[in-house]
Amino acid sequence: MFLAACVVLLMGFPVAFSLGGVAILFGGVGWLLGHFDLSFFSAVPQRIFGTMTNEVLIAVPLFVFMGVMLERSKVAEELLENMGRMFGTLRGGLGISVSIVGMLLAASTGIVGATVVTMGLLSLPTMLRNGYDPKLACGSICAAGTLGQIIPPSIVLVLLGDVISNAYQQTQLSMGNFSPRTVSVGDLFAGALLPGLTLVGLYIVYQLFIAFMRPETSPALPPDLTREGKSRAQIIAQVAHALVPPVILIVAVLGSILAGIASPTEAAGVGAIGALMLAGLRLDERHGWSIYGAGLCLVGVLILTAFVDLRVTRDAIPTSDMIWIVVAALLCVGILYGILMSLWRVWRCGVLKEVMVGTANVSAMVFVILIGAAAFSLVFRGLGGEAMVHDFLTGMPGGAWGAILVVMLVMFFLGFFLDFIEITFVVVPLVAPALFRYGIDPVWLGVLIAMNLQTSFLTPPFGFALFYLRGVAPPEITTLQIYKGVVPFVLIQIAALFILAVFPQLATWLPTVVFGN
């Protein structure tokens, strides 16, 4: 059944209909042969209803909206331009700036396609024009563009968090633990932060090593080319102008999750509104007083909530509290005015329609694939596939480590042909329960899987980052050069996987500090 699904996908059929169609076909054949009970199909509507009412998954369209809005507001272009000025005079500096910008875009947009295309259009011509090795330039851009899969907030981590949580709770209940600890998307966000930064550090170390060993592959830019007649103070001011707003947005989204102020879904709403206001500011900075004022009003409301009881449903409200409640209400009016002004600007420029259409397309794709994967997993379970996978993994020599090695290898090779969404929805629910029976930490396993799935964007022949870059690369760049360029970065990701496997504290330390055991 699994091989049939892979064959159908390779033939070019849509993913969701491939999974659902294979499920119906094998369910019918299994029923005719007396090996499948059609009552399993009666659970499909319940799965669909559960998916549509899952509050965690609301974060998916919100994070997609946030990413697409930031991409349309030219934040990436400004970051790349100014980071190139900062690091360009260093040997290998353009490659380093691409990695840093990729990290910042990953933590603010998380949209791999938009990041790779933007950096391919802006950075690749500059790198080639200044003598960079085409393979190194292409590999650096593709690898930096995929960081959005591991650095939170990430759609992969949102989807994995939901799948891992359900699998872990079901496993614990089947083992007799009727009060299992929950695993949230926030746990995975916290757990993925240090491994993601470690991966960025490995990218930069590799680029510095290549620049030292083979200087001709990544030369430094002349100072007059990076400064363009501007003083150091002007360059610093431009870098701050490009860097501060996205960093504030990143801190607001991730900080609210890690501080326990908001759930990932609520933080995604904060990120969507923040991206909207940032886009509105970028479109007309000369008249940005309303948006700056909204930001100050927001700070004022946060200060008031920390020191004053603003609940209006109390039986008796002191006069002093009532005054502060009125002040908070006026500040909220200021915030609302800034949001409406931003909304008006992005609508007037036509950006809002593009962002809404893009968000709807991506969100619909994700949820339809989820529904198809639900039907596939039900039939697979009804045919005894889950029991077969469990027996296979629990019987592996080497115990937990042998099972993890097999699962990681299978996912790595599936990444050559399948997208991360199919692997998340189809493979993870099948293998995770068997692994959890070994007592494996669910946060560590989730981050390990997320980092493994990141390689699916880089591995030929169907690595999406490779296709994105091929679409915008100059004609003189060959597909073979792109493939060769990503090989060292795939090896770096495998090395990072090995480091994370040997030192699981990289994934488990921060969630323990932030959320406790």
Side-chain angles (χ1 to χ4, degrees), residues 16-31:
F17 305 127
S18 298
L19 295 174
V22 169
I24 294 173
L25 176 63
F26 274 77
V29 173
W31 175 72

Side-chain angles (χ1 to χ4, degrees), residues 443-456:
V443 174
W444 174 68
L445 180 63
V447 176
L448 203 65
I449 291 173
M451 188 173 285
N452 196 344
L453 292 180
Q454 185 187 349
T455 61
S456 67

Side-chain angles (χ1 to χ4, degrees), residues 115-138:
T115 304
V116 173
V117 168
T118 302
M119 293 198 295
L121 288 171
L122 299 176
S123 294
L124 186 56
T126 303
M127 298 173 83
L128 296 176
R129 191 166 53 246
N130 289 280
Y132 264 70
D133 182 275
K135 297 189 291 294
L136 178 63
C138 293

Side-chain angles (χ1 to χ4, degrees), residues 60-62 64-66 68 354-364:
V60 173
L62 291 173
V64 172
F65 177 91
M66 172 182 164
V68 178
E354 295 178 11
V355 172
M356 296 300 289
V357 170
T359 302
N361 285 337
V362 175
S363 302

Side-chain angles (χ1 to χ4, degrees), residues 357-370:
V357 170
T359 302
N361 285 337
V362 175
S363 302
M365 177 194 71
V366 170
F367 282 96
V368 173
I369 291 175
L370 203 159

